[in-house]
Amino acid sequence: MLHTVHKATIIGKSNYGTAEVTGNLTLLGQTHPVTLKATKFNCYTNPLVKREVCGGDFETTIARSQWGISYGVPGIPDNIRLLIQIEAIKQ
């Protein structure tokens, strides 16, 4: 089983509703910086928690060998695209 951790350090939002999340991704005990770019991003006031909630669809491409995952290279591509959905409640 692959254990992953992503800790965001910067969240930026432009006037156009796009955002990036920059942080560190840990795979197999190795940590490297990554930037997730939003393909969809939106904020709204959630009626249940009565706080602002932001979320969206994000993507990035990583070289899996950077984390020591080299099985099958070059038959299986080293660069893989990650598609991630995020939703966060403003504290």
Side-chain angles (χ1 to χ4, degrees), residues 11-32:
I11 298 177
K13 182 180 175 192
S14 75
N15 294 332
Y16 303 104
T18 58
E20 287 185 350
V21 177
T22 301
N24 295 310
L25 178 64
T26 302
L27 296 170
L28 300 176
Q30 294 187 42
T31 302
H32 300 283

